[in-house]
Amino acid sequence: MQIGVVGLPNVGKSTLFNAITQTSNAQAANFPFCTIEPNTGMVMVPDHRLDVLENMYHPKKVTPATVEFVDIAGLVKGASHGEGLGNKFLSHIREVDAIVHVVRCFDDDNIIRADCSTDPVSDIETVNLELIFADLETVQRRRDKAQRSRNGGDKNALRECELCDRLIEHLSASKPARTLEIEEEDRPLLSSFFLLTDKPVIYAANIAEEDLGKPISEVKDLDKVQAIADSEGAEMLVISAAIEEEISQMDAEEKAEFLNDLGIGQSGMERMITACYHLLGLISFLTAGEDECRAWTIKRGTKAPQAAGKIHTDFERGFIRAEIVPFETLAEMGSMAACREKGLIRSEGKDYVMKDGDVTLFRFNV
């Protein structure tokens, strides 16, 4: 799963990317289009359950779930028509599964901007409108093709034409595709369009260091960003890229003390990774043993045989059953043996839908 980090030039995208991935892969400089080719980094999903399992099993290896972040070039007005690095920006964002849209919510005359705007609402509209313009072109091409098929007697093309008409009207009103209300049966058809504005979004409000920890009402423009997120069914995460960069260079003890002094429990980086994981509808089931304790990423709603296939295709092909105990139960009892003695381990079949935190042993035969 890939998360694209996007926004206008010089809003803190690359600084935030480096903090999230704990690398210096992305050049962060005070001039537009510092990033041209996208930078990528794999990030571990914070999961305290693995710490508990590690203390319980003392395994040779602990493997958390991961999400890939992609730092994408900054976008300017006219990108949908090739301005700036528009075509590259649009092609790179089309490949990701979700978007972290970084928005600058502080004033700094020393930071060069592609325009004179320091208004996050205007910044959001600039990015969103360019994505909408690109989507309009995509939908119009799909409609033209569907109309030709319809004229040729394809009955399924009528449904596609109708969806295209609704999308064109919706996008033309400057509304992203993800806010269009459609029947669940039309969702696969909409997904096949691969629209930029159909991707789930988190607005990362990049605030000044001195504003961290303040109520939203006391920080410049945060209420406006929250209102936009609410109207789109998106999420907003308040973060200071400069602070996150500083935190990323600390050891665990320094980090804990620093966060405590700031009066916040988790770093913005940890909150963002967890939020992105959930935004994509992902959960983790767990496997535990002396060789390895591991979190496995699956889509919410995945059934047991398909979850087993994440470990090995033979597990899915020869699936017999899944022996499952919820993590909370295992942690309370202290060991799998104690759970087994109390009859707390469930035996689940092919129709079982996996739950987040299921500690699982798959039985199979091939």
Side-chain angles (χ1 to χ4, degrees):
M1 293 292 178
Q2 286 191 329
I3 309 292
V5 183
V6 307
L8 295 183
N10 289 9
V11 295
K13 299 187 316 301
S14 295
T15 299
L16 183 58
F17 172 85
N18 287 338
I20 293 170
T21 58
Q22 297 189 359
T23 68
S24 56
N25 291 342
Q27 183 183 3
N30 191 21
F31 57 85
F33 308 120
C34 172
T35 300
I36 298 178
E37 293 301 323
N39 302 286
T40 62
M42 297 299 296
V43 180
M44 295 182 296
V45 178
D47 195 336
H48 75 282
R49 298 173 300 196
L50 287 175
D51 298 330
V52 175
L53 293 177
E54 183 178 14
N55 290 331
M56 193 178 294
Y57 284 90
H58 306 289
K60 298 173 185 175
K61 184 168 65 170
V62 176
T63 307
T66 58
V67 172
E68 184 176 14
F69 279 83
V70 184
D71 178 37
I72 297 174
L75 175 145
V76 295
K77 187 176 290 186
S80 59
H81 302 292
E83 292 294 325
L85 299 172
N87 292 330
K88 281 193 172 185
F89 176 95
L90 296 173
S91 66
H92 293 147
I93 197 173
R94 201 175 296 281
E95 296 172 3
V96 303
D97 299 291
I99 297 168
V100 170
H101 184 166
V102 183
V103 185
R104 181 178 147 196
C105 293
F106 64 91
D107 293 319
D108 189 337
D109 294 335
N110 295 318
I111 296 179
I112 298 172
R113 292 294 299 275
D115 56 34
C116 297
S117 169
T118 56
D119 176 14
V121 173
S122 174
D123 290 355
I124 289 172
E125 288 176 351
T126 296
V127 173
N128 285 351
L129 282 175
E130 294 305 322
L131 300 184
I132 285 170
F133 292 152
D135 280 350
L136 271 169
E137 291 185 13
T138 298
V139 175
Q140 189 60 62
R141 286 196 299 270
R142 282 289 295 255
R143 198 205 183 285
D144 292 343
K145 183 179 178 181
Q147 185 61 51
R148 289 194 296 271
S149 298
R150 182 182 175 185
N151 293 340
D154 185 348
K155 295 180 180 179
N156 292 327
L158 172 60
R159 178 164 155 255
E160 186 165 342
C161 283
E162 290 173 346
L163 178 58
C164 286
D165 288 340
R166 291 190 61 202
L167 277 167
I168 290 170
E169 181 181 0
H170 190 78
L171 292 167
S172 297
S174 301
K175 298 176 182 177
R178 61 182 168 272
T179 63
L180 178 67
E181 295 184 7
I182 63 172
E183 299 294 333
E184 196 59 36
E185 61 186 22
D186 288 330
R187 178 59 59 184
L189 178 58
L190 176 60
S191 297
S192 73
F193 288 22
F194 297 103
L195 299 180
L196 301 173
T197 62
D198 192 35
K199 299 178 184 294
V201 171
I202 292 177
Y203 289 105
N206 185 16
I207 64 173
E209 300 175 42
E210 60 270 19
D211 288 333
L212 199 62
K214 292 182 180 177
I216 288 178
S217 59
E218 296 181 14
V219 182
K220 181 183 186 302
D221 296 324
L222 275 190
D223 56 340
K224 298 177 183 177
V225 178
Q226 183 69 70
I228 292 173
D230 291 343
S231 70
E232 296 181 3
E235 296 185 32
M236 183 186 79
L237 199 65
V238 179
I239 201 164
S240 169
I243 288 289
E244 294 305 317
E245 187 175 42
E246 188 176 344
I247 290 174
S248 70
Q249 299 169 15
M250 298 178 180
D251 61 33
E253 189 174 335
E254 285 179 312
K255 175 182 168 182
E257 185 176 345
F258 186 72
L259 291 174
N260 185 58
D261 290 342
L262 288 174
I264 53 179
Q266 280 187 311
S267 69
M269 176 197 74
E270 291 169 329
R271 288 184 289 113
M272 177 174 291
I273 294 168
T274 302
C276 288
Y277 196 69
H278 292 153
L279 184 69
L280 289 168
L282 304 176
I283 61 173
S284 295
F285 72 90
L286 308 166
T287 55
E290 294 180 358
D291 287 334
E292 183 182 32
C293 291
R294 180 164 180 166
W296 300 86
T297 300
I298 55 174
K299 277 279 192 181
R300 189 176 299 279
T302 299
K303 293 185 177 181
Q306 288 68 52
K310 292 288 291 185
I311 300 176
H312 198 286
T313 53
D314 284 349
F315 285 29
E316 180 176 0
R317 185 161 57 93
F319 179 88
I320 299 173
R321 67 180 184 277
E323 296 180 359
I324 292 174
V325 60
F327 168 78
E328 292 77 8
T329 301
L330 177 59
E332 181 182 347
M333 298 305 298
S335 71
M336 194 64 77
C339 291
R340 194 176 299 279
E341 183 181 332
K342 296 287 187 180
L344 299 174
I345 299 178
R346 305 194 314 269
S347 181
E348 300 288 358
K350 294 182 178 180
D351 292 329
Y352 176 72
V353 176
M354 299 293 291
K355 305 293 191 302
D356 186 53
D358 279 348
V359 182
T360 308
L361 174 65
F362 292 109
R363 299 293 185 184
F364 69 102
N365 182 35
V366 291

